[in-house]
Amino acid sequence: MRYDLVDLKLFRAIAETSSLSVGAAQIHLSPGSASYRLKNLERLVGTALFVRTPRGMNLTAAGESLQRHVITVFCELERMHSEMSGFANGLRGSIRLHANSSSLNGFLAADLSSFLSANRQCNIELEEHSSDEIVMAVGDGTADLGIVASDVESGTLQVFPYATDHLVLAVSHEHALARQSRIKLEEALDYDFVCMQRASSNFQFLAQTCGRMGKQLNIRIHAHNFATVLRLARDNIGVALVPRRVLENNLSEESCAVVELSDEWAVRRLKVVTNEIEKAPQFTKNLLDHLLLRVNSSAG
């Protein structure tokens, strides 16, 4: 099947406005021309995409399915346009990098800053995801490189060690746990927690870990960044589970007591995953080499 982009734009506009005439006007088509194009599109897919009602145009089940694909198509077209514009303006490369919370908020900012400073003609699309999601994204080509925790199964992907961090508990100096130097997470679960937002890989890891213990978190609040989480912990709103590197980066401003975790999983060995790096563009190889400098410098 060959789809016309104008027809897909029209379909999207009608779906968003529930009106053929309003949707047609948005993309500068007459109602007659829009009606003709919509009929052709429905004929092409072999089924009705809308139900016509006195209140407007409602999507059928097939229409809802097509709408999801159309949204993806136009997002990818916009991304393609952005990348091509970058190349026209002197850009030489764009790298899709997915990272988990520990790396993103602890180590990665400094490494990417130095890489981008030295590679002015390269852009990086950076997204936070859970380690499992990152493995899938690298495997299916959605991401070029990923940084995940070492306890995640990486399948056939190529794996390189990146950095090591430790998850710790941050609490107010007034909190009952502040008198403890080292505990298991389970011992802290009777207390209230302050957590990163639900979509963050840090919170997903915490929730999954508690689920495996058969325990439930008492969450006072979800915050959008670690700085806010640490401020709330400092003010005795609840306990925070954070990477030590993040805590060190914020400790001068957000002074908390630190409680070490004796759970084995608290040691977070981070690794870079990729798929057939030998076939990747040179700028992707350069970024991988740059990230691995951290390992080499630590070894030295």
Side-chain angles (χ1 to χ4, degrees):
M1 293 184 183
R2 294 186 177 181
Y3 293 96
D4 187 303
L5 287 179
V6 175
D7 291 348
L8 295 182
K9 285 182 180 179
L10 172 65
F11 167 79
R12 182 179 63 174
I14 296 172
E16 290 174 349
T17 63
S18 300
S19 168
L20 187 144
S21 58
V22 175
Q26 283 190 354
I27 65 168
H28 311 293
L29 289 177
S30 68
S33 176
S35 179
Y36 176 78
R37 282 182 171 275
L38 180 58
K39 288 178 181 177
N40 281 344
L41 180 59
E42 290 181 322
R43 187 179 301 112
L44 178 65
V45 299
T47 187
L49 298 171
F50 293 94
V51 176
R52 283 75 170 172
T53 73
R55 294 187 176 182
M57 307 275 285
N58 296 330
L59 288 167
T60 63
E64 291 175 350
S65 179
L66 181 62
Q67 184 184 36
R68 290 192 294 271
H69 290 292
V70 166
I71 290 172
T72 300
V73 165
F74 282 105
C75 284
E76 286 300 310
L77 284 172
E78 184 61 32
R79 181 171 174 269
M80 179 185 73
H81 174 71
S82 176
E83 285 194 17
M84 293 303 101
S85 297
F87 283 114
N89 292 322
L91 183 69
R92 292 293 177 267
S94 181
I95 305 168
R96 298 166 299 175
L97 174 62
H98 290 188
N100 69 350
S101 179
S102 291
S103 62
L104 189 62
N105 293 280
F107 301 94
L108 201 52
D111 290 342
L112 294 184
S113 178
S114 57
F115 176 80
L116 289 170
S117 295
N119 296 268
R120 295 289 180 179
Q121 293 180 314
C122 184
N123 289 344
I124 294 175
E125 296 181 34
L126 178 62
E127 297 181 15
E128 178 185 346
H129 293 279
S130 69
S131 292
D132 289 327
E133 292 171 337
I134 294 169
V135 168
M136 288 189 291
V138 174
D140 66 23
T142 304
D144 302 309
L145 296 173
I147 302 180
V148 301
S150 60
D151 58 350
V152 173
E153 177 58 50
S154 50
T156 60
L157 297 181
Q158 294 166 290
V159 178
F160 304 89
Y162 173 55
T164 300
D165 203 354
H166 297 75
L167 290 174
V168 299
L169 298 179
V171 298
S172 165
H173 290 288
E174 301 172 2
H175 196 280
L177 289 177
R179 296 188 294 271
Q180 303 290 330
S181 59
R182 187 178 179 85
I183 63 173
K184 286 187 173 293
L185 175 65
E186 190 171 2
E187 300 174 56
L189 295 182
D190 289 334
Y191 298 97
D192 292 332
F193 270 69
V194 291
C195 299
M196 291 284 285
Q197 58 186 328
R198 290 180 176 85
S200 73
S201 58
N202 175 269
F203 173 72
Q204 290 178 22
F205 175 80
L206 174 59
Q208 290 166 5
T209 301
C210 292
R212 286 192 292 269
M213 296 178 182
K215 300 288 186 177
Q216 188 168 354
L217 280 168
N218 300 314
I219 304 170
R220 293 293 309 279
I221 188 172
H222 288 276
H224 284 279
N225 55 59
F226 278 114
T228 303
V229 166
L230 291 172
R231 181 178 294 276
L232 292 164
R234 182 201 65 181
D235 293 343
N236 208 15
I237 305 302
V239 179
L241 178 75
V242 298
R244 174 175 283 283
R245 182 59 175 258
V246 170
L247 190 61
E248 291 170 353
N249 291 346
N250 291 272
L251 193 57
S252 60
E253 181 181 350
E254 311 295 342
S255 181
C256 297
V258 179
V259 183
E260 300 287 345
L261 287 171
S262 58
D263 304 89
E264 290 184 7
W265 49 256
V267 180
R268 305 293 280 168
R269 293 181 177 87
L270 305 175
K271 59 188 181 184
V272 183
V273 294
T274 186
N275 194 12
E276 298 184 309
I277 189 62
E278 64 278 358
K279 296 181 181 179
Q282 187 59 49
F283 46 80
T284 303
K285 296 177 183 178
N286 292 345
L287 175 57
L288 176 61
D289 290 341
H290 185 82
L291 293 176
L292 298 186
L293 287 175
R294 174 176 293 278
V295 180
N296 297 331
S297 62
S298 299

